[in-house]
Amino acid sequence: MKFVSTRNASPSVTLSQALSDGLAPDGGLYVPEALPRFAVEDFVGLERVDEIGARLLAPFFEGDALADSLAQICKEALNFALPLKRLDEQTSILELFHGPTAAFKDVGARFLASCLSRLAAGDARPLTILVATSGDTGGAVASAFHQKPNIEVQVLYPLGKVSPRQEHQLTCWGDNVRAFAVRGVFDDCQRLVKDAFADPWWRENKRLSSANSINIGRVLPQMIYYACASLWHFRQSGQNAGFVIPTGNLGNALACMWAHEMGLPIREIMLATNANRPIVDFLGGSGWQPRPSVSTLASAMDVGDPSNMERVRHLFADDDALRTAIRALSVDDAMIEETIRDGLERYREVFCPHTAVAMCVREQLPATPWIVVATAHPAKFEQIVEPLIGRPVEIPPALASLFERPAHHVEIAAQLNALTGEQ
Ligand SMILES: *Cc1c(COP(=O)(O)O)cnc(C)c1O
Protein backbone atom coordinates (compact mmCIF):
# COMPACT_ATOMS: atom_id res chain seq x y z
CA MET A 1 0.00 0.00 0.00
CA LYS A 2 1.20 3.49 -0.87
CA PHE A 3 0.12 6.76 0.75
CA VAL A 4 -0.71 9.92 -1.19
CA SER A 5 -1.16 13.58 -0.24
CA THR A 6 -4.65 15.10 -0.04
CA ARG A 7 -3.28 17.89 -2.27
CA ASN A 8 -2.07 15.46 -4.97
CA ALA A 9 1.16 17.41 -5.54
CA SER A 10 3.66 15.07 -3.78
CA PRO A 11 4.88 11.65 -4.89
CA SER A 12 3.26 8.65 -3.21
CA VAL A 13 5.29 7.18 -0.32
CA THR A 14 5.55 4.02 1.77
CA LEU A 15 3.86 3.78 5.16
CA SER A 16 7.22 4.16 6.94
CA GLN A 17 7.93 7.34 5.00
CA ALA A 18 4.48 8.77 5.76
CA LEU A 19 4.95 8.00 9.47
CA SER A 20 8.37 9.66 9.56
CA ASP A 21 7.34 12.74 7.51
CA GLY A 22 4.11 13.56 9.36
CA LEU A 23 3.05 16.17 6.81
CA ALA A 24 3.40 15.62 3.03
CA PRO A 25 5.94 17.92 1.27
CA ASP A 26 3.12 19.77 -0.57
CA GLY A 27 1.57 20.70 2.78
CA GLY A 28 -1.22 18.13 2.44
CA LEU A 29 -2.04 15.19 4.70
CA TYR A 30 -1.20 11.60 3.86
CA VAL A 31 -4.10 9.26 3.09
CA PRO A 32 -4.09 5.63 1.88
CA GLU A 33 -4.18 5.50 -1.94
CA ALA A 34 -7.18 3.16 -1.64
CA LEU A 35 -9.21 1.69 1.21
CA PRO A 36 -9.39 -2.12 1.38
CA ARG A 37 -12.83 -3.78 1.65
CA PHE A 38 -13.78 -6.21 4.40
CA ALA A 39 -16.80 -8.38 5.20
CA VAL A 40 -17.86 -9.48 8.68
CA GLU A 41 -16.74 -13.03 7.75
CA ASP A 42 -13.14 -11.87 7.35
CA PHE A 43 -12.94 -11.54 11.15
CA VAL A 44 -14.47 -14.91 12.09
CA GLY A 45 -12.63 -16.45 15.04
CA LEU A 46 -10.96 -13.17 16.00
CA GLU A 47 -12.05 -11.72 19.34
CA ARG A 48 -9.15 -9.80 20.91
CA VAL A 49 -8.48 -6.17 20.02
CA ASP A 50 -4.91 -6.83 18.86
CA GLU A 51 -6.00 -9.76 16.65
CA ILE A 52 -8.77 -7.80 14.97
CA GLY A 53 -6.37 -4.85 14.66
CA ALA A 54 -3.66 -6.87 12.94
CA ARG A 55 -6.17 -8.27 10.42
CA LEU A 56 -7.69 -4.84 9.76
CA LEU A 57 -4.39 -3.00 9.25
CA ALA A 58 -2.55 -5.75 7.29
CA PRO A 59 -3.41 -4.22 3.87
CA PHE A 60 -2.02 -0.83 4.98
CA PHE A 61 1.29 -2.41 6.09
CA GLU A 62 1.64 -4.66 3.04
CA GLY A 63 5.02 -4.19 1.35
CA ASP A 64 6.35 -1.91 4.10
CA ALA A 65 9.43 -2.46 6.27
CA LEU A 66 7.10 -2.63 9.30
CA ALA A 67 4.81 -5.34 7.85
CA ASP A 68 6.38 -8.22 9.78
CA SER A 69 6.09 -6.27 13.05
CA LEU A 70 2.39 -5.37 12.73
CA ALA A 71 1.06 -8.07 15.08
CA GLN A 72 3.63 -7.13 17.73
CA ILE A 73 2.94 -3.40 17.30
CA CYS A 74 -0.79 -4.02 17.86
CA LYS A 75 -0.03 -6.08 20.99
CA GLU A 76 2.31 -3.45 22.41
CA ALA A 77 0.12 -0.42 21.64
CA LEU A 78 -3.29 -1.87 22.54
CA ASN A 79 -2.35 -3.40 25.88
CA PHE A 80 -5.29 -1.96 27.83
CA ALA A 81 -9.04 -2.65 27.94
CA LEU A 82 -11.46 -1.06 25.43
CA PRO A 83 -14.76 -2.17 26.96
CA LEU A 84 -18.13 -1.85 25.21
CA LYS A 85 -20.78 -1.46 27.91
CA ARG A 86 -24.56 -1.57 27.57
CA LEU A 87 -26.27 1.53 29.05
CA ASP A 88 -29.86 0.88 28.03
CA GLU A 89 -31.87 -1.09 25.45
CA GLN A 90 -30.51 0.83 22.44
CA THR A 91 -27.40 2.55 23.81
CA SER A 92 -23.90 1.26 24.49
CA ILE A 93 -20.78 3.15 25.47
CA LEU A 94 -17.30 2.41 24.14
CA GLU A 95 -14.77 3.37 26.84
CA LEU A 96 -11.49 4.45 25.27
CA PHE A 97 -9.99 5.84 28.48
CA HIS A 98 -8.34 2.87 30.19
CA GLY A 99 -4.85 3.62 28.86
CA PRO A 100 -1.95 5.20 30.77
CA THR A 101 -3.16 8.82 30.49
CA ALA A 102 -6.89 7.98 30.59
CA ALA A 103 -7.89 9.38 27.18
CA PHE A 104 -8.41 7.90 23.70
CA LYS A 105 -5.26 9.65 22.42
CA ASP A 106 -3.27 6.89 24.16
CA VAL A 107 -4.28 4.50 21.34
CA GLY A 108 -2.87 6.63 18.53
CA ALA A 109 0.16 7.86 20.46
CA ARG A 110 1.18 4.36 21.59
CA PHE A 111 0.76 2.91 18.10
CA LEU A 112 2.83 5.71 16.55
CA ALA A 113 5.51 5.27 19.23
CA SER A 114 5.72 1.53 18.54
CA CYS A 115 6.14 2.22 14.81
CA LEU A 116 8.62 5.10 15.09
CA SER A 117 10.80 3.37 17.69
CA ARG A 118 11.28 0.48 15.25
CA LEU A 119 12.12 2.86 12.42
CA ALA A 120 14.58 4.81 14.62
CA ALA A 121 16.34 1.72 15.99
CA GLY A 122 19.12 1.50 13.41
CA ASP A 123 19.95 5.20 13.18
CA ALA A 124 23.16 6.79 14.39
CA ARG A 125 21.41 9.83 15.88
CA PRO A 126 18.34 9.68 18.12
CA LEU A 127 15.00 10.85 16.78
CA THR A 128 13.77 14.01 18.53
CA ILE A 129 10.00 14.34 18.91
CA LEU A 130 9.00 17.94 19.55
CA VAL A 131 5.45 18.34 20.78
CA ALA A 132 3.54 21.51 21.64
CA THR A 133 0.53 20.85 23.83
CA SER A 134 -2.36 22.70 25.40
CA GLY A 135 -2.92 19.76 27.75
CA ASP A 136 -3.99 16.27 26.69
CA THR A 137 -1.92 15.40 23.62
CA GLY A 138 1.43 16.02 25.29
CA GLY A 139 0.71 13.61 28.14
CA ALA A 140 -0.33 10.80 25.79
CA VAL A 141 2.74 11.35 23.60
CA ALA A 142 5.16 11.60 26.53
CA SER A 143 3.78 8.43 28.09
CA ALA A 144 3.84 6.54 24.79
CA PHE A 145 7.47 7.42 23.97
CA HIS A 146 8.81 7.16 27.52
CA GLN A 147 11.89 4.88 27.61
CA LYS A 148 11.71 4.09 23.90
CA PRO A 149 15.36 3.63 22.87
CA ASN A 150 16.97 6.08 20.43
CA ILE A 151 14.09 8.56 20.75
CA GLU A 152 13.98 11.73 22.84
CA VAL A 153 10.82 13.72 23.52
CA GLN A 154 10.59 17.42 24.33
CA VAL A 155 7.16 18.63 25.47
CA LEU A 156 6.38 22.35 25.34
CA TYR A 157 3.37 23.65 27.26
CA PRO A 158 2.21 27.15 28.28
CA LEU A 159 3.26 27.98 31.85
CA GLY A 160 0.25 28.38 34.15
CA LYS A 161 -2.25 27.59 31.39
CA VAL A 162 -2.79 23.86 32.04
CA SER A 163 -4.56 22.30 35.03
CA PRO A 164 -2.40 20.92 37.89
CA ARG A 165 -3.30 17.33 36.97
CA GLN A 166 -2.56 17.97 33.30
CA GLU A 167 0.79 19.53 34.20
CA HIS A 168 1.72 16.49 36.23
CA GLN A 169 1.01 14.22 33.27
CA LEU A 170 3.42 16.29 31.18
CA THR A 171 6.24 16.56 33.70
CA CYS A 172 6.38 13.22 35.57
CA TRP A 173 8.32 11.10 33.06
CA GLY A 174 12.05 11.80 33.18
CA ASP A 175 14.56 9.60 31.29
CA ASN A 176 14.17 10.43 27.57
CA VAL A 177 11.24 12.83 28.11
CA ARG A 178 11.81 16.48 29.01
CA ALA A 179 9.11 19.06 29.78
CA PHE A 180 9.47 22.79 29.12
CA ALA A 181 7.04 25.31 30.62
CA VAL A 182 7.04 28.19 28.14
CA ARG A 183 6.38 31.71 29.41
CA GLY A 184 3.61 32.36 26.89
CA VAL A 185 0.45 30.83 25.47
CA PHE A 186 -0.17 27.64 23.47
CA ASP A 187 0.39 29.45 20.17
CA ASP A 188 3.91 30.40 21.36
CA CYS A 189 4.65 26.72 22.00
CA GLN A 190 3.45 25.82 18.52
CA ARG A 191 5.56 28.61 17.01
CA LEU A 192 8.68 27.36 18.84
CA VAL A 193 8.20 23.89 17.34
CA LYS A 194 7.72 25.36 13.86
CA ASP A 195 10.80 27.61 14.30
CA ALA A 196 12.92 24.63 15.38
CA PHE A 197 11.96 22.70 12.23
CA ALA A 198 13.13 25.67 10.12
CA ASP A 199 16.27 26.55 12.14
CA PRO A 200 19.76 25.70 10.73
CA TRP A 201 21.19 24.63 14.14
CA TRP A 202 18.30 22.26 14.80
CA ARG A 203 18.35 20.86 11.28
CA GLU A 204 22.06 20.17 11.58
CA ASN A 205 22.13 18.77 15.11
CA LYS A 206 18.81 16.97 15.54
CA ARG A 207 16.72 14.50 13.61
CA LEU A 208 13.31 16.06 14.15
CA SER A 209 9.88 14.50 13.94
CA SER A 210 6.45 15.35 15.23
CA ALA A 211 3.73 13.27 16.78
CA ASN A 212 0.79 15.61 16.33
CA SER A 213 -2.66 14.43 15.37
CA ILE A 214 -2.21 14.83 11.63
CA ASN A 215 0.30 11.95 11.54
CA ILE A 216 -1.31 9.01 9.71
CA GLY A 217 0.16 6.74 12.40
CA ARG A 218 -2.34 8.15 14.88
CA VAL A 219 -5.41 7.79 12.64
CA LEU A 220 -4.90 4.21 11.38
CA PRO A 221 -4.99 2.51 14.83
CA GLN A 222 -8.14 4.42 15.80
CA MET A 223 -9.97 2.36 13.16
CA ILE A 224 -9.26 -0.71 15.27
CA TYR A 225 -11.68 0.14 18.08
CA TYR A 226 -14.44 0.98 15.60
CA ALA A 227 -13.91 -2.40 13.94
CA CYS A 228 -13.92 -4.21 17.29
CA ALA A 229 -16.95 -2.44 18.74
CA SER A 230 -19.03 -2.77 15.57
CA LEU A 231 -18.13 -6.48 15.24
CA TRP A 232 -18.83 -7.22 18.91
CA HIS A 233 -22.18 -5.41 18.64
CA PHE A 234 -23.10 -7.20 15.42
CA ARG A 235 -22.20 -10.63 16.78
CA GLN A 236 -24.35 -10.01 19.86
CA SER A 237 -27.40 -8.43 18.28
CA GLY A 238 -27.23 -9.13 14.53
CA GLN A 239 -27.59 -5.39 14.00
CA ASN A 240 -25.30 -2.65 12.70
CA ALA A 241 -24.78 0.07 15.31
CA GLY A 242 -24.41 3.77 14.64
CA PHE A 243 -21.59 5.70 16.38
CA VAL A 244 -21.91 9.06 18.15
CA ILE A 245 -18.42 10.61 18.26
CA PRO A 246 -17.26 13.65 20.28
CA THR A 247 -15.40 15.67 17.66
CA GLY A 248 -12.78 18.43 17.60
CA ASN A 249 -10.02 17.97 15.03
CA LEU A 250 -11.98 15.15 13.31
CA GLY A 251 -9.20 12.58 13.79
CA ASN A 252 -11.30 10.18 15.81
CA ALA A 253 -14.32 10.59 13.53
CA LEU A 254 -12.23 10.18 10.36
CA ALA A 255 -11.12 6.75 11.58
CA CYS A 256 -14.78 5.74 11.92
CA MET A 257 -15.59 7.05 8.43
CA TRP A 258 -12.74 4.95 6.99
CA ALA A 259 -13.88 1.86 8.92
CA HIS A 260 -17.43 2.39 7.60
CA GLU A 261 -16.15 2.79 4.05
CA MET A 262 -14.14 -0.43 4.45
CA GLY A 263 -17.29 -2.44 5.11
CA LEU A 264 -17.34 -2.84 8.91
CA PRO A 265 -20.89 -3.29 10.28
CA ILE A 266 -21.47 0.40 11.03
CA ARG A 267 -24.95 1.79 10.24
CA GLU A 268 -24.22 5.52 10.33
CA ILE A 269 -22.01 8.18 11.91
CA MET A 270 -23.19 11.09 14.04
CA LEU A 271 -20.67 13.77 14.99
CA ALA A 272 -21.12 15.57 18.31
CA THR A 273 -19.46 18.96 18.64
CA ASN A 274 -19.43 21.57 21.39
CA ALA A 275 -20.25 25.22 20.71
CA ASN A 276 -17.57 25.31 17.97
CA ARG A 277 -19.89 24.97 14.97
CA PRO A 278 -17.96 25.00 11.65
CA ILE A 279 -18.64 21.29 10.99
CA VAL A 280 -22.31 21.45 11.96
CA ASP A 281 -22.92 24.54 9.84
CA PHE A 282 -21.07 23.03 6.87
CA LEU A 283 -23.06 19.80 6.99
CA GLY A 284 -26.19 21.93 7.31
CA GLY A 285 -25.50 23.37 3.87
CA SER A 286 -23.33 26.46 4.28
CA GLY A 287 -19.83 26.67 2.77
CA TRP A 288 -16.72 25.49 4.66
CA GLN A 289 -15.91 28.33 7.02
CA PRO A 290 -13.19 27.80 9.65
CA ARG A 291 -13.45 30.22 12.57
CA PRO A 292 -11.45 31.15 15.66
CA SER A 293 -12.22 28.64 18.39
CA VAL A 294 -14.40 29.47 21.39
CA SER A 295 -13.67 28.02 24.85
CA THR A 296 -16.08 25.46 26.23
CA LEU A 297 -16.21 22.91 29.05
CA ALA A 298 -15.16 20.22 26.54
CA SER A 299 -11.85 22.00 25.97
CA ALA A 300 -10.07 19.24 24.01
CA MET A 301 -12.71 19.84 21.31
CA ASP A 302 -12.27 23.63 21.15
CA VAL A 303 -11.26 23.63 17.50
CA GLY A 304 -12.39 26.21 14.96
CA ASP A 305 -10.41 24.88 11.99
CA PRO A 306 -10.28 21.06 12.24
CA SER A 307 -7.10 19.82 10.60
CA ASN A 308 -8.55 16.50 9.44
CA MET A 309 -11.34 18.20 7.44
CA GLU A 310 -8.95 17.99 4.50
CA ARG A 311 -8.91 14.19 4.78
CA VAL A 312 -12.68 13.99 5.30
CA ARG A 313 -13.39 16.01 2.14
CA HIS A 314 -10.84 13.92 0.23
CA LEU A 315 -12.77 10.76 1.13
CA PHE A 316 -16.01 11.84 -0.56
CA ALA A 317 -16.65 12.57 -4.24
CA ASP A 318 -17.95 16.05 -3.39
CA ASP A 319 -19.39 18.07 -0.50
CA ASP A 320 -22.94 16.92 -1.25
CA ALA A 321 -21.91 13.28 -0.93
CA LEU A 322 -20.30 14.13 2.43
CA ARG A 323 -23.43 15.96 3.59
CA THR A 324 -25.54 12.92 2.71
CA ALA A 325 -23.25 10.48 4.51
CA ILE A 326 -22.50 12.25 7.81
CA ARG A 327 -24.63 14.19 10.28
CA ALA A 328 -23.62 16.42 13.20
CA LEU A 329 -25.20 18.18 16.15
CA SER A 330 -23.78 20.88 18.42
CA VAL A 331 -24.18 21.01 22.20
CA ASP A 332 -23.66 24.08 24.41
CA ASP A 333 -22.08 24.23 27.88
CA ALA A 334 -25.43 24.26 29.69
CA MET A 335 -26.38 20.99 27.97
CA ILE A 336 -22.99 19.47 28.84
CA GLU A 337 -23.55 20.32 32.50
CA GLU A 338 -27.08 18.91 32.47
CA THR A 339 -25.93 15.66 30.86
CA ILE A 340 -23.16 15.16 33.45
CA ARG A 341 -25.56 16.00 36.30
CA ASP A 342 -28.25 13.57 35.05
CA GLY A 343 -25.83 10.81 34.01
CA LEU A 344 -25.46 9.40 37.48
CA GLU A 345 -29.17 8.85 38.04
CA ARG A 346 -30.06 7.89 34.47
CA TYR A 347 -27.22 5.48 33.72
CA ARG A 348 -25.18 5.19 36.92
CA GLU A 349 -22.28 6.68 34.96
CA VAL A 350 -20.06 9.74 35.39
CA PHE A 351 -19.19 11.32 32.04
CA CYS A 352 -16.26 13.59 31.20
CA PRO A 353 -17.35 16.83 29.47
CA HIS A 354 -16.37 15.47 26.01
CA THR A 355 -18.24 12.23 26.45
CA ALA A 356 -21.20 14.25 27.76
CA VAL A 357 -21.36 16.09 24.43
CA ALA A 358 -21.86 12.76 22.64
CA MET A 359 -24.26 11.45 25.29
CA CYS A 360 -26.39 14.57 24.96
CA VAL A 361 -26.53 14.13 21.17
CA ARG A 362 -27.49 10.47 21.55
CA GLU A 363 -30.45 11.47 23.71
CA GLN A 364 -31.80 13.51 20.78
CA LEU A 365 -31.65 10.54 18.37
CA PRO A 366 -34.27 7.87 17.62
CA ALA A 367 -34.36 4.48 19.36
CA THR A 368 -32.04 2.58 17.03
CA PRO A 369 -28.81 0.99 18.34
CA TRP A 370 -26.14 3.59 19.03
CA ILE A 371 -22.63 3.32 20.46
CA VAL A 372 -21.51 6.48 22.27
CA VAL A 373 -17.75 6.98 22.21
CA ALA A 374 -16.27 7.92 25.62
CA THR A 375 -12.99 9.77 25.01
CA ALA A 376 -11.66 10.55 28.51
CA HIS A 377 -12.01 9.49 32.14
CA PRO A 378 -13.99 12.03 34.21
CA ALA A 379 -11.17 12.15 36.82
CA LYS A 380 -9.13 14.16 34.29
CA PHE A 381 -11.73 16.95 34.48
CA GLU A 382 -12.63 16.77 38.14
CA GLN A 383 -12.85 20.56 38.51
CA ILE A 384 -15.83 20.55 36.13
CA VAL A 385 -17.40 17.20 36.97
CA GLU A 386 -17.25 17.03 40.78
CA PRO A 387 -19.32 20.15 41.56
CA LEU A 388 -22.02 18.88 39.15
CA ILE A 389 -22.38 15.42 40.64
CA GLY A 390 -21.70 16.54 44.22
CA ARG A 391 -19.09 13.92 45.03
CA PRO A 392 -15.47 13.10 44.25
CA VAL A 393 -14.59 11.11 41.13
CA GLU A 394 -12.48 8.06 41.84
CA ILE A 395 -9.05 8.24 40.18
CA PRO A 396 -8.33 5.18 37.98
CA PRO A 397 -5.22 3.16 38.95
CA ALA A 398 -3.20 4.16 35.86
CA LEU A 399 -3.66 7.87 36.58
CA ALA A 400 -3.10 7.41 40.31
CA SER A 401 0.28 5.73 39.80
CA LEU A 402 1.26 8.50 37.44
CA PHE A 403 0.37 11.17 40.02
CA GLU A 404 2.77 9.47 42.47
CA ARG A 405 5.77 9.99 40.20
CA PRO A 406 7.94 13.02 40.99
CA ALA A 407 7.53 15.88 38.51
CA HIS A 408 10.18 18.07 36.93
CA HIS A 409 10.13 20.83 34.35
CA VAL A 410 12.35 23.62 33.05
CA GLU A 411 10.88 27.08 32.59
CA ILE A 412 11.93 28.93 29.43
CA ALA A 413 11.18 32.18 27.60
CA ALA A 414 9.03 31.94 24.47
CA GLN A 415 12.04 32.14 22.14
CA LEU A 416 13.79 29.42 20.20
CA ASN A 417 17.24 30.37 21.56
CA ALA A 418 15.97 29.64 25.07
CA LEU A 419 15.06 26.08 23.98
CA THR A 420 18.29 25.73 22.02
CA GLY A 421 20.24 26.78 25.13
CA GLU A 422 18.83 23.77 26.97
CA GLN A 423 20.12 21.22 24.43
C1 LIG B 1 -8.66 15.17 21.48
C2 LIG B 1 -9.92 14.87 22.20
C3 LIG B 1 -11.18 14.87 21.54
C4 LIG B 1 -11.33 15.27 20.09
O1 LIG B 1 -10.82 14.31 19.20
P1 LIG B 1 -10.52 14.71 17.68
O2 LIG B 1 -9.84 13.54 17.09
O3 LIG B 1 -9.64 15.93 17.74
O4 LIG B 1 -11.83 15.02 17.04
C5 LIG B 1 -12.30 14.51 22.27
N1 LIG B 1 -12.21 14.18 23.57
C6 LIG B 1 -11.04 14.17 24.23
C7 LIG B 1 -11.02 13.82 25.67
C8 LIG B 1 -9.85 14.52 23.57
O5 LIG B 1 -8.69 14.52 24.25
Side-chain angles (χ1 to χ4, degrees):
M1 168 91 69
K2 285 289 175 53
F3 292 79
V4 297
S5 165
T6 45
R7 299 191 186 169
N8 300 317
S10 305
S12 63
V13 297
T14 61
L15 174 64
S16 291
Q17 188 71 46
L19 293 172
S20 306
D21 287 355
L23 206 64
D26 63 4
L29 308 184
Y30 283 118
V31 291
E33 63 181 354
L35 291 173
R37 297 283 306 179
F38 285 98
V40 169
E41 297 75 45
D42 293 325
F43 297 92
V44 165
L46 305 183
E47 187 63 32
R48 286 203 325 266
V49 172
D50 64 298
E51 294 173 332
I52 293 173
R55 174 71 54 91
L56 183 78
L57 296 190
F60 299 94
F61 278 64
E62 200 177 291
D64 191 73
L66 290 172
D68 291 341
S69 311
L70 174 60
Q72 192 55 34
I73 290 169
C74 288
K75 255 205 182 102
E76 246 171 59
L78 300 156
N79 68 341
F80 51 87
L82 295 162
L84 179 65
K85 292 175 20 183
R86 181 64 76 86
L87 288 189
D88 65 28
E89 197 63 18
Q90 302 280 25
T91 312
S92 303
I93 188 163
L94 176 63
E95 293 185 350
L96 303 178
F97 53 70
H98 297 279
T101 70
F104 86 97
K105 291 189 176 75
D106 283 326
V107 173
R110 290 178 62 77
F111 192 91
L112 181 63
S114 284
C115 292
L116 286 184
S117 65
R118 282 173 170 77
L119 295 176
D123 289 317
R125 268 190 307 174
L127 189 65
T128 301
I129 308 277
L130 272 185
V131 55
T133 185
S134 56
D136 268 359
T137 302
V141 169
S143 159
F145 285 88
H146 181 227
Q147 292 184 332
K148 293 280 187 216
N150 216 25
I151 295 189
E152 58 171 33
V153 177
Q154 306 195 19
V155 180
L156 280 67
Y157 66 95
L159 177 69
K161 304 270 189 322
V162 302
S163 78
R165 282 190 183 175
Q166 274 179 330
E167 182 168 34
H168 199 93
Q169 288 176 62
L170 300 172
T171 54
C172 71
W173 300 102
D175 304 315
N176 63 330
V177 179
R178 286 196 288 164
F180 295 98
V182 176
R183 289 194 286 272
V185 294
F186 171 63
D187 289 335
D188 294 310
C189 301
Q190 253 184 332
R191 179 175 46 79
L192 285 187
V193 170
K194 243 178 147 174
D195 288 353
F197 270 85
D199 182 80
W201 184 90
W202 282 78
R203 294 172 75 100
E204 186 147 320
N205 290 281
K206 299 275 186 183
R207 227 157 49 79
L208 284 179
S209 188
S210 79
N212 61 20
S213 64
I214 51 100
N215 195 306
I216 186 83
R218 288 185 47 179
V219 183
L220 292 177
Q222 291 172 178
M223 290 193 291
I224 297 173
Y225 47 74
Y226 290 110
C228 291
S230 64
L231 286 166
W232 294 333
H233 187 279
F234 181 81
R235 287 170 186 172
Q236 258 197 356
S237 66
Q239 286 185 298
N240 289 7
F243 281 94
V244 188
I245 307 171
T247 296
N249 251 328
L250 276 165
N252 201 1
L254 172 73
C256 191
M257 292 176 207
W258 282 355
H260 180 235
E261 199 64 26
M262 284 157 60
L264 274 301
I266 296 167
R267 190 189 65 242
E268 61 184 302
I269 297 170
M270 183 57 135
L271 308 181
T273 74
N274 58 24
N276 290 277
R277 296 187 50 96
I279 297 167
V280 174
D281 292 344
F282 168 79
L283 292 178
S286 62
W288 178 239
Q289 195 114 94
R291 282 170 230 156
S293 66
V294 298
S295 332
T296 74
L297 293 174
S299 55
M301 291 155 51
D302 290 348
V303 181
D305 186 4
S307 50
N308 276 300
M309 190 63 183
E310 195 163 324
R311 284 189 173 119
V312 170
R313 292 176 88 177
H314 190 266
L315 176 62
F316 293 92
D318 55 39
D319 287 347
D320 286 335
L322 167 54
R323 289 192 180 105
T324 309
I326 309 289
R327 290 189 290 156
L329 283 172
S330 156
V331 167
D332 65 21
D333 274 359
M335 292 157 88
I336 293 176
E337 289 182 326
E338 192 181 307
T339 306
I340 295 172
R341 212 181 283 122
D342 294 347
L344 208 48
E345 194 175 328
R346 219 172 266 176
Y347 310 102
R348 274 168 277 111
E349 290 283 335
V350 180
F351 302 120
C352 93
H354 313 83
T355 308
V357 170
M359 208 52 227
C360 180
V361 166
R362 193 278 166 260
E363 288 174 350
Q364 299 168 50
L365 297 172
T368 45
W370 290 99
I371 297 174
V372 172
V373 176
T375 49
H377 192 285
K380 294 193 81 163
F381 303 93
E382 85 288 358
Q383 286 160 331
I384 295 165
V385 172
E386 288 178 352
L388 291 169
I389 61 167
R391 61 165 218 209
V393 180
E394 205 174 314
I395 299 176
L399 268 192
S401 68
L402 189 152
F403 291 144
E404 277 163 24
R405 301 172 66 96
H408 178 73
H409 71 265
V410 172
E411 194 180 311
I412 60 167
Q415 283 154 1
L416 185 61
N417 59 16
L419 185 63
T420 310
E422 297 292 335
Q423 303 301 309

